[in-house]
Amino acid sequence: MVREAVRNGPRWETPDPPGVAGTYGKRVREWTKRELGITFGRWQAHAIDNALRHDRDGNLLARIALLSTGRQNGKSVIVRGLFGWLLDEGRCLPAFSQWTTLLAAAHDAKQARIIYKGVYSDLRSIDRLKDTARLTEHFGITVQGLTLDTVTGQPGSSRGLSAGAIAWDELLTQRDWEMWEALSPTQSAQRSPIMILTSTAGMADSVILRAFYDRLLRLAAGDEKPDPTFYGAWWHSEDPDAGLDWAQIRQPNPALGDGRLMIPAIASEYAILPNDSWRRERLNHFVDVKAQGAFNPGVWAACRVSTPTSPMTHGAVNDSIISLT
């Protein structure tokens, strides 16, 4: 049976894994509220609680977590809360105590630094960390041996690293598998590693995001054997061609109504955005690109074969000539 959305929940979600003993999500949410004054919304709490489920030994069940909503719904807040908690408290837990590196990953440095700068600002606001942490805007954030840094598609930027957690911001910008192939082995020797993938729906060349989206759909539909190491939750509208239908718009935008997203701003987006952009960025659907044919239908219709039932043998080529009339 296909696992679809409950109210304000994801449209598609992977099945619940066996062996769940708890979740670190509650600790992340409590830390974020206590230290940063930020309260996770309902959808954010759902996402982090399910992504950080662990077994009875404290090890994370999911090694990869894909979270997708429309633009500006607060995906980066989830990652900031997780990385801030890991640097401050989470690093002390057995499952993460041997980690040395956290990475904010993106196609280019400017995108990768969005999460980094958010965590930097968050930790600088905590007075008790100022004397025990190395907080630098450009050269890594280190708290008691655990360092947050950025990594990009630049050749060699991920070599020699061993990462416990990697956050991929706007995965839609990854247009080939090179960076993934470079970073995935950095977690092979880690206990309880995780990759957090956040993005809105991508374009035709967003190959990594599309691969995980398609896998999420197969798992949600029961067409693929359940995999507890992969958690996916995708919020999108039921109707990919919905216009300014607020019931449809709320499905991919679970933060609508909690003060983060404003109805007038979204109405303005609709008035100016091309249909494909609206569908992708606000309704959170992929847009398939259709290429023009090499010849128009009229050219193909003009093709004639003089003897269509005759066998095409070497000696009969001249009897079956394709001509354009």
Side-chain angles (χ1 to χ4, degrees):
M1 179 179 180
V2 176
R3 181 171 180 177
E4 294 193 32
V6 295
R7 187 177 183 274
N8 211 46
R11 178 71 182 169
W12 304 109
E13 188 172 31
T14 48
D16 291 332
V20 176
T23 177
Y24 295 117
K26 183 179 180 181
R27 299 192 187 201
V28 172
R29 291 189 284 112
E30 290 175 344
W31 180 90
T32 305
K33 183 176 182 178
R34 183 180 69 250
E35 300 296 344
L36 307 181
I38 298 174
T39 300
F40 276 28
R42 182 182 300 178
W43 88 265
Q44 295 166 317
H46 178 93
I48 195 67
D49 286 359
N50 285 319
L52 298 186
R53 288 176 290 197
H54 60 77
D55 61 21
R56 63 182 182 180
D57 295 321
N59 295 317
L60 293 173
L61 291 168
R63 296 177 65 94
I64 297 173
L66 170 64
L67 309 175
S68 181
T69 66
R71 292 284 298 276
Q72 297 297 313
N73 275 271
K75 296 183 289 294
S76 63
V77 171
I78 294 176
V79 180
R80 282 170 49 198
L82 172 59
F83 275 19
W85 173 77
L86 284 168
L87 284 162
D88 186 20
E89 294 181 356
R91 61 181 174 76
C92 301
L93 297 175
F96 317 120
S97 61
Q98 299 303 310
W99 288 4
T100 60
T101 305
L102 309 175
L103 294 175
H107 176 69
D108 57 58
K110 186 175 182 179
Q111 188 71 43
R113 289 191 60 76
I114 291 176
I115 294 298
Y116 181 94
K117 291 179 70 175
V119 176
Y120 168 76
S121 297
D122 291 342
L123 296 187
R124 276 185 59 86
S125 69
I126 303 174
D127 289 336
R128 61 183 172 76
L129 290 179
K130 291 180 179 178
D131 295 331
T132 60
R134 186 191 73 170
L135 303 175
T136 69
E137 193 170 356
H138 299 284
F139 301 104
I141 299 168
T142 301
V143 182
Q144 298 295 319
L146 182 61
T147 297
L148 169 62
D149 210 340
T150 60
V151 63
T152 69
Q154 181 179 356
S157 67
S158 62
R159 299 296 175 184
L161 298 176
S162 184
I166 303 175
W168 296 74
D169 191 33
E170 292 299 349
L171 192 65
L172 65 92
T173 60
Q174 299 293 327
R175 294 179 170 84
D176 57 52
W177 287 89
E178 290 186 10
M179 189 171 168
W180 185 274
E181 291 168 352
L183 283 179
S184 185
T186 68
Q187 295 189 305
S188 58
Q190 294 293 307
R191 176 184 174 184
S192 197
I194 190 168
M195 286 190 179
I196 301 288
L197 320 178
T198 58
S199 187
T200 54
M203 284 77 70
D205 57 357
S206 302
V207 292
I208 300 180
L209 180 62
R210 189 57 189 253
F212 280 109
Y213 171 76
D214 289 344
R215 186 162 191 240
L216 166 56
L217 263 59
R218 293 195 302 271
L219 288 165
D223 295 332
E224 185 174 321
K225 182 179 179 182
D227 179 5
T229 68
F230 174 57
Y231 171 70
W234 195 286
W235 283 256
H236 69 54
S237 64
E238 183 178 3
D239 180 4
D241 297 314
L244 205 61
D245 181 332
W246 293 106
Q248 293 287 325
I249 292 169
R250 281 185 173 87
Q251 293 174 0
N253 298 282
L256 189 61
D258 69 359
R260 174 176 291 276
L261 290 173
M262 301 299 178
I263 287 178
I266 293 179
S268 296
E269 286 180 7
Y270 180 71
I272 194 64
L273 282 177
N275 288 337
D276 284 356
S277 298
W278 173 260
R279 182 180 182 183
R280 186 179 64 248
E281 298 200 358
R282 188 51 63 202
L283 301 182
N284 207 30
H285 283 269
F286 280 89
V287 176
D288 294 323
V289 176
K290 298 179 180 178
Q292 295 293 327
F295 302 100
N296 67 46
V299 172
W300 288 115
C303 293
R304 297 291 184 271
V305 179
S306 59
T307 55
T309 59
S310 299
M312 289 292 289
T313 63
H314 179 72
V317 171
N318 291 331
D319 295 329
S320 300
I321 299 178
I322 298 177
S323 63
L324 297 178
T325 60

